[in-house]
Amino acid sequence: MKNDELQPLSDHLGELRRRIIWCLVFFVIALVISLFYSMPIFRYIVSDLFPKQAINTMGLQDGMRIYMNISFIMAFIVTLPFLMYHAWRFVQPGLNPREQRAALLYIPVSVGLFLLGIAFGYFVIIPYLIDFLKNINQLMGLGTLLAAKETFNFLFGVILPLGIFFELPIIILFLTRIRIITPQLLAKMRRYAYFIMVVIAAVITPPDFLSNILVAIPLIVLYEVGIWLSAGLVRKMEREEADDNAV
């Protein structure tokens, strides 16, 4: 009896191990492919954001570090749908058919929101921040010498968090689906959530009111969209439970 009870857990752990290995293999393949595209992407970023400025390195390893960082980010983005699909397949047996369809729908939506956050950071926030910081330097009579490592750390430090923060509606839907949160709780915690988002915006942007607002407002809008989606999901779940009880 004891072995029979342990067998399902052993099966689950074995399946989890296989899926992790598949995801790692896929990531490595994506990383190798990304190596061929990292240099064109690097050149595009430099020509697009810094068309008339030279970017210098302070160490021999800076170029390789930036090159690999771009490759890793590209590989992660490509692997993300594959990773989420295997996560869905792992939990699929414990979900009813409705939950399986809903969870499967989360995959493209989640990836889309992540890419939307990255695009928002790159095309909206970053150009404004670059102009703002250049103007501050000019007002102080300072010349701007762009160091490759610091410049790309700055870009990654703004763009990637925004990609993650744009996942907020999906996270709210998932937590609502498993009944950890409710729209009433989200509405009650609204003031605290707003405060946290303003703090996050202040951390990832320069100490400028306008730049903080440019980041904080989309996060607040995403939170409100999450509340609206959570309320709709709760109503849908209540209808599903009523239909099941009627049958």
Side-chain angles (χ1 to χ4, degrees), residues 28 34 42 69 74 80 102 115-116 120 157-158 160 186 216 234 246:
V28 171
S34 299
F42 168 78
N69 283 342
M74 291 177 57
L80 185 60
L115 294 176
L116 181 62
F120 176 77
V158 174
L160 291 180
L186 293 171
V234 168

Side-chain angles (χ1 to χ4, degrees), residues 19 135 151 210:
R19 295 193 182 281
N135 291 334
T151 299
L210 184 57

Side-chain angles (χ1 to χ4, degrees), residues 35-191:
L35 294 174
F36 295 95
Y37 295 94
S38 294
M39 191 61 68
I41 290 178
F42 168 78
R43 290 171 179 163
Y44 170 79
I45 293 174
V46 172
S47 63
D48 182 47
L49 298 178
F50 313 102
K52 297 180 180 180
Q53 286 185 277
I55 297 183
N56 305 279
T57 61
M58 300 301 176
L60 292 175
Q61 73 279 9
D62 289 353
M64 178 58 70
R65 181 180 289 112
I66 295 171
Y67 178 77
M68 293 305 300
N69 283 342
I70 295 175
S71 299
F72 271 97
I73 292 172
M74 291 177 57
F76 173 76
I77 293 174
V78 172
T79 306
L80 185 60
F82 188 80
L83 177 65
M84 296 185 67
Y85 172 76
H86 276 278
W88 173 76
R89 287 298 304 270
F90 181 72
V91 301
Q92 182 183 12
L95 304 176
N96 61 46
R98 292 195 187 100
E99 292 172 337
Q100 291 178 12
R101 291 191 296 270
L104 185 60
L105 181 62
Y106 289 168
I107 296 176
V109 175
S110 179
V111 174
L113 286 174
F114 182 76
L115 294 176
L116 181 62
I118 290 178
F120 176 77
Y122 181 85
F123 292 105
V124 178
I125 300 299
I126 288 297
Y128 168 78
L129 293 182
I130 291 175
D131 290 339
F132 170 79
L133 294 174
K134 285 182 178 179
N135 291 334
I136 291 295
N137 289 343
Q138 290 176 358
L139 289 174
M140 298 179 67
L142 300 174
T144 302
L145 178 64
L146 297 180
K149 178 182 176 182
E150 286 73 15
T151 299
F152 275 82
N153 284 346
F154 164 71
L155 296 179
F156 296 150
V158 174
I159 294 173
L160 291 180
L162 284 173
I164 295 173
F165 295 149
F166 268 60
E167 299 286 343
L168 185 60
I170 289 297
I171 295 174
I172 290 176
L173 280 177
F174 175 74
L175 295 178
T176 302
R177 169 64 69 173
I178 61 178
R179 304 179 189 277
I180 291 181
I181 61 175
T182 63
Q184 293 78 14
L185 176 62
L186 293 171
K188 184 178 180 181
M189 300 295 293
R190 181 182 278 116
R191 289 180 298 175

Side-chain angles (χ1 to χ4, degrees), residues 157-158 196-207 212:
V158 174
I196 292 174
M197 292 173 187
V198 171
V199 171
I200 291 173
V203 169
I204 67 175
T205 58
N212 295 345

Side-chain angles (χ1 to χ4, degrees), residues 12-31 75-76 78-90:
H12 285 308
L13 292 177
E15 181 185 1
L16 179 61
R17 178 176 174 272
R18 288 192 298 271
R19 295 193 182 281
I20 291 175
I21 291 175
W22 273 111
C23 291
L24 290 175
V25 170
F26 189 92
F27 177 81
V28 171
I29 295 173
L31 178 61
F76 173 76
V78 172
T79 306
L80 185 60
F82 188 80
L83 177 65
M84 296 185 67
Y85 172 76
H86 276 278
W88 173 76
R89 287 298 304 270
F90 181 72

